[in-house]
């Protein structure tokens, strides 16, 4: 018995937890080329079950990571939401159907796919860009943080002791699946939050035998370790919020039912309750049903063993009646308790950050939780990546907390409203059409937020707000703090088309997007010349900042989008700095794009400037952050302000 | 020395050659689940170079095979063709640009990607559906064919002796790459047709040492072994045609040039000749230049060693002048001789078939050769697959020769015209605008053929022609013998959209597509009921034919496409036979589709019936062959004729 050798290593960043938020953060470590590790207590990745809903904004980010084509190939797209309520004589009727008003503001639409495949795609992308691998079956058992070292960029203020679990320990226990006997069922109770946290148990057990123990010194730590977050507990950060927990059952099954909307997103309300239908890939359908309420204020506990697959099946049969409902194949099922809770802060000092379920919990029924969690990881990931790479000021890390906390609050508010429509009997009593109306209202109220079309990032050194809610006069719909609205453009030299989500690849660089306007107009060409002259200068913002070591000489990439007809412009008529020459790779044809119709691609409709409310003649200059959010917008004459923006964000050479 | 053990095995089909046509044939062996082998004399697959142009029709087939999303992600789409000629004062000018007139008749557009990736995707698809693997480093050394056994479906009339080459033999010799010294260059001369055929050499050499020798008895043989086809020679089938050979140089490079259209498909004519520019993935550009003419009638031989990379570079520099041209990276280069030659027949008896370059050779400059070759393999593949599976009548194999020979003749005619525009000095002399005009004429003349929009399959037991050129009155643009024109549809139960190219998956089955018309009209509903009643009958065409063993109970899949608005129809209102129930998988929601606008998918425009010139109220019935070509079109009352069609094609249980 006793400890094995103790290793000691120094790394830039340690990520605890390889779920969606941890993997998104790890993606950035891979792209920025910093020394990072990502550990997970479980011995294998998730293969099925768990979260499944991908919203537009997440899909846009996936496109910028180069994996969206795989989602499109395997996922199930479902846009409309249907509302079923009791009709006359014990029937159920489809009372309303809701289609998102701004459904075409994104190239991608709500897609359902199991978490296992989603994590697979992110892992493949990480592997493509680095040697970073998830280390599974490893647990953290102590965390020390020396705040005195915070301000020294070369210091390692974080000390974590890691312990490698043995094979048996990483197979966490859960209750056996109980299908109808004829089926093999994977249940997800081992990862359900109904389980008491097993972290301490695992540490105790692994101490009783020979285990590899390791001390890691890190500059940054990201805790992505879920609702029971060990990291959060070490930091004494509480979760605050609702005192009522609802217990929900969920199952992924292949349905045998004559209910017409079993393959469409639907809510079904009946005298015996309300359920949610989510169609999925490979004939699967996910069903959510509320099964119990626990009052935590009175110390309410709940006996998990009372929830079985058969119990969930019967609840669904009751709600769907008079339609028939049965299944032979259950891919996965679980139960979990739901409460809206949030941590008051998502960070500790300037070096430790928490993301995803570790800092906000809520019901999964809005199909948004995994999205917000992934976007948390995406947000902190690039910031730590660039700071650890020695490219960006450490102060950009201060923007994580305000940017993501506000989003998490919105998420909880949405969930409170939405969950209430499922469980509030008062609403039920007011009559079915009122209930449907109220549900549609909730969906509409939070729609832009849910799809990520509205983001709410406040002013900071990364977001230079203009006066008022809109963007500046030259491009009113390009609003600092909001996402860069996707558009499909035509490449000037090549004629091929591409979405900006793919064009502005998430590779760690900021993009300066020059909306060059109408290059047929001589006065405009002179404006472009003047700006280009400035940018080509010795100490311009394109050349003055530290590199991303081993990746890019400059952390800023300049991309031009003009508004003249494609056939009336030529690549070589643009100033050199807009289309640089590499001695080996030749001219960079991917830098000049055009907002014009492409007759063989309907999505490329020449409406980009209009969509952005940008002046078609005079254009604008836009800073797009590495995560595709808008940082700054100005005119072609505002090069000094542009430089000041970057001086506040990036380190000089 | 001497022979090793001789093995003997019995298989359904042997494919010699694992290039594009062989792999497409092998795909069907995998899908139909028959016992097949595919061998290739080379020790490794192609990784780079070779053919690179994918036309619309091929991409549609890839979609039906489930690999098109990978092409879209990696390939370079280029549609317009530009024509450059000398201007005043020694300049070059872009004299014309051609855009295909029917560019939107296919969901997919000309895409450039190297052959290595394309083969990779097909191989992955084969692996997904079977255990069939390409056996490399194996050569055939004798072929016997017993015609007396032809008519016995249980007999193995083909005997082939295979020999496993050793490691050194499979590394074929080629001249070393000669770049500028500073670059690593892969040259493709080892696979160039300038090399004397090395098959006999390989056999001789391998006989001199211990080699594994094996006798294979096969029911069917497909020779896909390229321009020097060993299989064709064993059958004493000649290649006939042109007596003039042109020697061409080709290179895949990353260009450093100020020529504006280096990233667009272009022809460039100058006093020193004409060349072709083909943009590609990963910054590569392929350049074709004619370098020599050989008169084979006078026994003209050609010294291959006179062609070097530097020589090709200089030719390009001369033609592109006054634009600069250089490169540092050459991914691949080769030279080959070109003549339009075709075999008088593509088959021997009813059991041996030849496909691809083995039976038609031509220049690669029309970007079509690999496409026609793959389509050859695709055509013979499903036929042999279904016959060997015991599902289809052997007589369907007779359709291969007439269907593909005619297409190959068209290909050669296109190539003769197109090559002439490059090399004919007379054309050059008539003036540059005449030359451009003539080139555009050639492109326009063969455009529909090249993109596969027009197919020319004649009447046969697989193609029941209607009177005249058009389709029947109920759906004039659904023409037997032509491809099923792709359309994007909305799934009735799910709301998701899909292209018919993906929906009618190439899985070995025939599709009966019921255009159900307007299901809101009662008289039409009665017609649908009557047809459904017939199809649900005991011995209908859905149930009477032999299965595809281990794959599908019925070799026919019924798919319904109605024309009522999506919200005014319900899945369960359609008769049972149109939406069958499986006791485990539930109802099959993938069977009922709708031609209606989808607001979140611009490609799904509700114009499908119009595109097909189908009666929006009364609809039609269409038989789509496993390869997505139309076999039969009729009215809803023509169920007897429908059954007669299938009685001629499929075997009864």
């Amino acid at each position: 018995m006793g400890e094995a050798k103790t290793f000691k290593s120094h790394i830039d960043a340690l990520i605890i937890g390889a779920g969606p938020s941890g993997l998104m953060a790890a993606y950035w470590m891979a792209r920025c080329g910093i020394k990072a590790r990502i550990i997970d207590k479980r011995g294998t990745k998730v293969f099925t079950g768990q979260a499944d809903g991908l919203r537009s904004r997440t899909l846009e980010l996936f496109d910028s990571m180069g994996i969206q084509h795989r989602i499109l190939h395997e996922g199930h797209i479902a846009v409309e939401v249907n509302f079923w309520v009791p009709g006359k004589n014990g029937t159920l009727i489809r009372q309303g159907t809701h289609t998102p008003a701004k459904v075409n503001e994104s190239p991608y639409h709500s897609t359902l796919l199991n978490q296992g495949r989603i994590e697979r795609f992110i892992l493949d992308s990480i592997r493509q860009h680095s040697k970073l691998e998830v280390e599974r079956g490893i647990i953290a058992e102590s965390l020390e943080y020396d705040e005195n070292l915070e301000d020294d960029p070369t210091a390692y203020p974080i000390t974590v002791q890691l312990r490698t679990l043995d094979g048996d320990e990483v197979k966490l226990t859960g209750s056996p699946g109980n299908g109808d006997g004829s089926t093999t069922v994977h249940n997800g109770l081992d990862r359900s939050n109904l389980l008491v946290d097993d972290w301490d148990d695992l540490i105790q057990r692994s101490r009783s035998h020979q285990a590899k123990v390791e001390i890691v010194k890190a500059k940054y730590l990201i805790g992505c370790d879920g609702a029971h977050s060990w990291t959060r507990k070490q930091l004494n950060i509480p979760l605050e919020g609702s005192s009522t927990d609802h217990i929900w059952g969920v199952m992924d099954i292949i349905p045998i039912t004559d209910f017409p909307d079993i393959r469409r997103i639907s809510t079904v309300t009946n005298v015996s309750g309300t359920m949610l239908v989510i169609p999925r890939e490979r004939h699967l359908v996910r069903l959510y049903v509320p099964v119990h309420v626990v009052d935590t204020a009175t110390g309410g506990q709940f006996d998990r063993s009372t929830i079985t697959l058969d119990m969930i099946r019967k609840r669904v049969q009751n709600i769907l009646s008079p339609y028939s409902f049965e299944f032979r194949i259950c891919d996965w099922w679980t139960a979990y308790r739901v409460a809206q809770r949030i941590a008051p802060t998502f960070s500790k000092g300037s070096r430790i950050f928490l993301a995803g379920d570790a800092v906000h919990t809520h019901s999964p029924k809005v199909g948004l939780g995994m999205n917000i969690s992934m976007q948390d990881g995406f947000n902190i990931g690039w910031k730590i990546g660039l700071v650890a790479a020695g490219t960006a000021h450490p102060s950009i890390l201060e923007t994580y907390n305000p940017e993501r906390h506000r989003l998490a609050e919105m998420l909880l508010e949405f969930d409170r409203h939405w969950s209430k429509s499922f469980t509030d009997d008062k609403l039920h009593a007011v009559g079915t059409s009122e209930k449907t109306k109220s549900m549609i209202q909730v969906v509409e109220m939070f729609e832009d937020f849910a799809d990520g079309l509205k983001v709410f990032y406040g002013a900071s050194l990364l977001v230079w707000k203009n006066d008022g809610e809109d963007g500046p006069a030259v491009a009113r719909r390009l609003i600092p703090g909001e996402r860069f609205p996707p558009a499909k453009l035509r490449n000037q030299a090549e004629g091929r088309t591409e979405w900006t989500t793919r064009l502005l690849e998430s590779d760690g660089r900021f993009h300066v997007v020059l909306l060059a306007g109408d290059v047929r107009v001589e006065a405009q060409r002179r404006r472009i010349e003047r700006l280009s002259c400035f940018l080509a200068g010795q100490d311009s913002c394109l050349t003055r900042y530290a590199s991303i070591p081993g990746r890019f000489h400059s952390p800023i990439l300049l991309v031009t989008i003009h508004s003249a007809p494609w056939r009336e412009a030529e690549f070589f008529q643009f100033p050199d700095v807009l289309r640089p020459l590499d001695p080996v790779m030749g001219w960079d044809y991917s830098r000049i794009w055009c907002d014009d119709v492409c007759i063989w691609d309907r999505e490329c409709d020449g409406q980009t400037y209009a969509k952005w409310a940008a002046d078609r003649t005079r254009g604008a200059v836009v800073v797009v952050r590495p995560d595709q959010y808008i940082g700054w917008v100005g005119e072609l004459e505002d090069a000094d302000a542009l430089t000041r923006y970057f001086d506040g964000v990036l380190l000089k050479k």
Side-chain angles (χ1 to χ4, degrees), chain A:
Chain A
M1 298 302 161
E3 305 283 305
K5 265 182 272 171
T6 299
F7 302 82
K8 195 164 178 176
S9 59
H10 288 75
I11 57 173
D12 292 323
L14 175 66
I15 301 170
I16 299 181
S21 54
L23 290 177
M24 288 295 259
Y27 168 83
W28 283 111
M29 308 303 129
R31 292 307 303 250
C32 295
I34 71 167
K35 212 172 153 191
R37 290 176 66 180
I38 174 167
I39 61 165
D40 199 284
K41 67 174 176 177
R42 299 200 169 79
T44 57
K45 71 182 276 297
V46 164
F47 291 104
T48 183
Q50 312 293 321
D52 58 4
L54 293 165
R55 298 290 191 141
S56 303
R57 182 63 195 146
T58 308
L59 300 171
E60 293 168 10
L61 297 180
F62 283 172
D63 201 24
S64 78
M65 297 161 66
I67 60 178
Q68 170 57 6
H69 67 296
R70 299 182 71 182
I71 304 279
L72 276 176
H73 187 67
E74 293 190 21
H76 180 82
I77 299 177
V79 171
E80 287 92 352
V81 182
N82 299 282
F83 299 90
W84 288 76
V85 294
K88 285 178 191 155
N89 306 322
T91 58
L92 281 176
I93 56 165
R94 189 195 292 129
Q95 190 166 60
T97 300
H98 174 75
T99 308
K102 298 186 185 163
V103 68
N104 288 319
E105 295 216 352
S106 175
Y108 307 115
H109 305 98
S110 279
T111 301
L112 292 315
L113 184 64
N114 85 68
Q115 187 176 325
R117 292 304 289 164
I118 297 164
E119 292 185 6
R120 171 82 275 143
F121 301 156
I122 306 172
L123 284 166
D124 286 349
S125 179
I126 289 172
R127 207 168 276 169
Q128 191 186 335
H129 295 289
S130 73
K131 291 187 171 143
L132 182 58
E133 295 274 352
V134 176
E135 300 168 57
R136 300 190 191 275
I138 294 185
I139 200 163
E141 60 175 349
S142 73
L143 164 61
E144 286 163 44
Y145 181 52
D146 186 347
E147 294 190 41
N148 297 324
L149 299 175
E150 253 188 19
D151 296 332
D152 175 2
T154 64
Y156 294 82
I158 298 154
T159 307
V160 178
Q161 182 156 314
L162 302 182
R163 179 175 286 273
T164 302
L165 305 175
D166 78 6
D168 288 336
E169 288 158 5
V170 297
K171 288 191 215 111
L172 302 190
T173 49
S175 74
N178 66 337
D180 60 1
S182 68
T183 51
T184 312
V185 182
H186 304 108
N187 83 57
L189 293 174
D190 58 342
R191 291 177 197 243
S192 159
N193 62 358
L194 286 179
L195 263 193
V196 177
D197 181 26
D198 55 0
W199 199 286
D200 285 338
D201 273 2
L202 285 171
I203 292 176
Q204 287 306 326
R205 271 198 280 157
S206 96
R207 279 194 184 144
S208 67
H209 64 83
Q210 189 86 3
K212 186 180 145 195
V213 172
E214 186 184 3
I215 308 285
V216 172
K217 304 284 277 181
K219 288 183 176 173
Y220 296 95
L221 174 65
I222 316 178
C224 304
D225 42 354
H228 290 303
S229 175
W230 173 88
T231 314
R232 179 173 49 71
K233 286 173 195 158
Q234 305 313 301
L235 305 174
N236 290 314
I237 297 173
L239 279 185
E240 299 166 347
S242 164
S243 64
T244 308
D245 285 9
H246 289 269
I247 310 287
W248 284 72
V250 51
M251 58 183 181
D252 292 343
I253 49 104
I254 295 183
I256 306 170
T257 175
D258 53 5
F259 175 65
D261 282 1
I262 197 71
R263 294 288 310 164
R264 301 178 185 181
I265 299 177
S266 305
T267 70
V268 185
T269 297
N270 208 332
V271 281
S272 58
T274 297
M275 60 176 265
L276 182 63
V277 177
I278 305 285
R280 281 263 303 278
E281 80 282 4
R282 295 184 295 117
H283 312 290
L284 292 168
V285 173
R286 169 164 294 186
L287 301 173
Y288 288 102
V289 276
V291 292
H292 202 81
V293 181
V294 182
D295 186 349
T296 51
T298 62
Q301 282 299 317
F302 175 73
D303 179 5
R304 187 164 59 83
S305 70
T306 62
I307 301 186
T308 64
L309 184 58
D310 267 336
M311 175 206 192
I312 299 173
R313 182 202 313 249
K314 287 201 180 85
R315 291 280 294 152
V316 172
Q317 281 169 338
N318 286 336
I319 294 175
L320 273 186
S321 166
Y323 292 108
S324 66
F325 175 82
E326 203 33 86
F327 60 87
R328 292 283 171 78
I329 292 174
C330 174
D331 191 52
W332 177 82
W333 72 277
T334 194
Y336 50 85
R337 58 198 297 165
V338 169
Q340 291 84 22
R341 295 203 185 94
I342 188 170
T345 177
F346 292 3
S347 60
K348 171 83 173 182
S350 60
R351 301 289 190 115
I352 303 182
F353 302 88
L354 299 166
D357 288 354
V359 279
H360 42 77
T361 68
H362 50 88
S363 91
K365 291 177 310 300
V366 294
L368 188 53
M370 179 173 61
N371 294 266
I372 296 287
S373 291
M374 285 197 284
Q375 290 167 27
D376 284 350
F378 204 73
N379 188 298
I380 189 60
W382 73 265
K383 291 171 184 172
I384 289 181
L386 285 188
V387 170
T391 309
H393 278 294
S395 50
I396 67 169
L397 299 171
E398 291 161 21
T399 62
Y400 173 69
N401 209 11
E403 287 186 350
R404 298 310 300 173
H405 201 276
R406 187 160 178 197
L407 270 282
E409 280 169 353
M410 288 291 296
L411 169 64
L412 263 60
E413 199 184 326
F414 182 18
D415 188 45
R416 268 189 293 268
H417 279 82
W418 185 237
S419 290
K420 202 171 151 191
S421 356
F422 280 77
T423 51
D424 189 338
D425 292 338
K426 211 163 59 214
L427 251 181
H428 206 142
V430 296
T432 58
S433 79
E434 281 304 303
K435 169 141 187 166
T436 298
K437 225 166 89 185
S438 119
M439 284 183 123
I440 291 183
Q441 265 170 7
V442 173
V443 170
E444 281 176 352
M445 186 161 41
F446 290 94
E447 196 159 83
D448 287 0
F449 160 72
D451 280 328
L453 309 182
K454 180 87 190 106
V455 184
F456 305 101
Y457 285 176
S460 70
L461 80 171
L462 282 172
V463 174
W464 285 25
K465 291 278 185 191
N466 300 84
D467 296 336
E469 285 261 307
D470 276 356
V474 283
R476 271 180 299 99
R477 300 217 188 99
L478 296 179
I479 305 170
E482 296 295 322
R483 91 199 209 287
F484 189 62
K488 206 167 201 182
L489 301 168
R490 192 147 209 224
N491 184 276
Q492 182 60 45
E494 305 185 313
R496 73 191 166 89
T497 62
E498 196 157 274
W499 284 103
T500 49
T501 41
R502 184 86 202 94
L503 168 59
L504 307 183
E505 185 180 349
S506 288
D507 60 14
R509 289 181 288 188
F510 284 77
H511 287 92
V512 170
V513 180
L514 168 58
L515 304 187
D518 192 339
V519 294
R520 296 169 303 178
V521 176
E522 199 189 325
Q524 181 64 7
R525 283 205 302 273
R526 276 200 304 271
R527 295 180 73 216
I528 297 167
E529 284 290 349
R530 272 195 300 271
L531 174 64
S532 299
C533 212
F534 179 91
L535 292 172
Q538 193 90 60
D539 188 37
S540 90
C541 61
L542 297 184
T543 52
R544 75 198 307 178
Y545 303 114
S547 67
I548 306 177
R551 304 290 156 130
F552 299 105
H553 286 299
S554 169
I556 300 174
L557 186 73
L558 181 58
V559 172
T560 297
I561 304 168
H562 72 83
S563 69
W566 184 61
R567 288 185 199 279
E568 295 182 36
E570 295 285 349
F571 178 79
F572 283 103
Q573 94 185 57
F574 289 84
D576 286 0
V577 71
L578 304 184
R579 47 169 184 80
L581 172 67
D582 179 275
V584 173
M585 299 299 287
W587 274 278
D588 188 346
Y589 300 104
S590 68
R591 299 293 197 91
I592 311 279
W593 298 78
C594 173
D595 175 25
D596 193 9
V597 172
C598 172
I599 70 153
W600 49 268
D601 184 345
R602 295 192 225 196
E603 294 174 323
C604 184
D605 59 5
Q607 296 298 312
T608 298
Y609 271 60
K611 183 187 287 182
W612 294 342
D615 187 312
R616 216 167 165 87
T617 304
R618 294 177 54 82
V621 181
V622 187
V623 171
V624 181
R625 312 187 333 181
D627 55 1
Q628 299 201 333
Y629 291 88
I630 298 172
W632 178 92
V633 184
E635 297 225 43
L636 273 64
E637 284 71 23
D638 297 338
D640 283 333
L642 176 72
T643 307
R644 280 200 305 279
Y645 173 91
F646 283 121
D647 279 351
V649 171
L650 298 169
L651 294 170
K652 292 203 186 134
K653 268 176 189 164

